[in-house]
Amino acid sequence: MSDPSTRDHEIAHPVFAMLYDRLPQAFLLAPHRNYLVTDLSGSVLELGCGTGDMFPFVADTATSAIEYHAIEPDPHMRTRAARTARDLGLGVTLRDARAESLPYPDDSFDVVLASVVFCTIQDPDAAIDEVARVLKPGGEFRFFEHVHADGWQGTGQQLLNPLWERVAGGCQLTRETVPRFVGHDAFAVDEIERLEFGLFPATPFVRGTLRRRRDSVLG
């Protein structure tokens, strides 16, 4: 059950939604978004689809074997995502929802995707609990996220974070995402790779796949 303060926190960034697709780093992310959709099949949920930047990659690999769902709580982003899906001819069930409180039954999806989204989720611990809940036993959680850096870059991120959060749609530069993911009892690690690329301050990245344990018991 999500915290009431999380549900009441408004998510609406009209200017950031307008500029998002023009960010200079977007072209660097394409190989890693391809990683997320490789051999994609079954029922799939994308968390925080934004303006639909994953949709072209899904459309390139989509077959009748994929049932694609996506959530996006920002109405400005969601409007653009719906337009992107329509232009691509991609069938997407797009819903207004937050990762902390997913509107799906237990064991609904074969794959859950997260592409540069956990940096903006208000309660990431609740969100990873929800990912575990809606994944079928043996299902995959595939992710590609930027994380807190080491050394001087990490110090710089801490200094910049209050301003960055305001101008970048709530994005957090200092999230310790990997320990949160691998430390969750419901998941086994298939693979995780740290990627030293990107433009400061949104660098480095990690990508990987976790698998919901078949013997996991969710609270």
Side-chain angles (χ1 to χ4, degrees):
M1 195 73 168
S2 63
D3 185 272
S5 63
T6 299
R7 293 196 302 270
D8 294 341
H9 177 74
E10 182 183 7
I11 299 176
H13 305 285
V15 175
F16 187 67
M18 181 177 63
L19 297 175
Y20 184 80
D21 295 328
R22 298 180 177 87
L23 293 178
Q25 196 154 277
F27 74 97
L28 297 174
L29 308 186
H32 310 291
R33 288 177 169 147
N34 273 321
Y35 166 88
L36 295 178
V37 302
T38 299
D39 298 325
L40 200 62
S41 64
S43 54
V44 181
L45 171 64
E46 181 184 350
L47 304 179
C49 67
T51 61
D53 48 322
M54 278 292 298
F55 291 178
F57 300 92
V58 177
D60 283 347
T61 61
T63 68
S64 58
I66 296 179
E67 178 187 313
Y68 203 74
H69 298 254
I71 63 162
E72 174 51 54
D74 187 317
H76 308 284
M77 293 276 196
R78 196 168 58 251
T79 297
R80 290 174 177 270
R83 185 185 309 143
T84 299
R86 188 166 57 249
D87 291 346
L88 290 167
L90 178 66
V92 182
T93 301
L94 179 60
R95 299 181 71 172
D96 173 11
R98 302 180 185 220
E100 299 97 332
S101 185
L102 295 172
Y104 305 100
D106 297 356
D107 306 342
S108 292
F109 295 100
D110 297 292
V111 182
V112 174
L113 305 179
S115 177
V116 197
V117 66
F118 265 81
C119 55
T120 62
I121 292 172
Q122 188 182 3
D123 187 344
D125 290 315
I128 193 64
D129 285 344
E130 281 289 270
V131 170
R133 181 183 67 79
V134 302
L135 268 176
K136 299 175 183 178
E140 293 182 344
F141 173 43
R142 303 182 185 182
F143 60 89
F144 172 59
E145 300 286 342
H146 71 77
V147 296
H148 195 192
D150 299 323
W152 69 266
Q153 288 186 327
T155 302
Q157 287 172 334
Q158 291 174 337
L159 293 172
L160 287 171
N161 198 63
L163 175 61
W164 183 265
E165 178 184 9
R166 293 177 62 185
V167 301
C171 174
Q172 304 290 317
L173 295 168
T174 57
R175 285 277 163 89
E176 299 288 356
T177 302
V178 173
R180 175 172 284 115
F181 287 176
V182 302
H184 198 287
D185 291 341
F187 292 109
V189 177
D190 277 4
E191 61 178 352
I192 292 181
E193 183 180 6
R194 185 178 174 97
L195 306 164
E196 299 291 347
F197 87 100
L199 304 175
F200 182 80
T203 183
F205 285 79
V206 293
R207 74 179 192 185
T209 300
L210 306 183
R211 191 174 298 274
R212 185 183 158 192
R213 299 181 190 274
R214 294 186 182 276
D215 59 351
S216 63
V217 177
L218 304 179

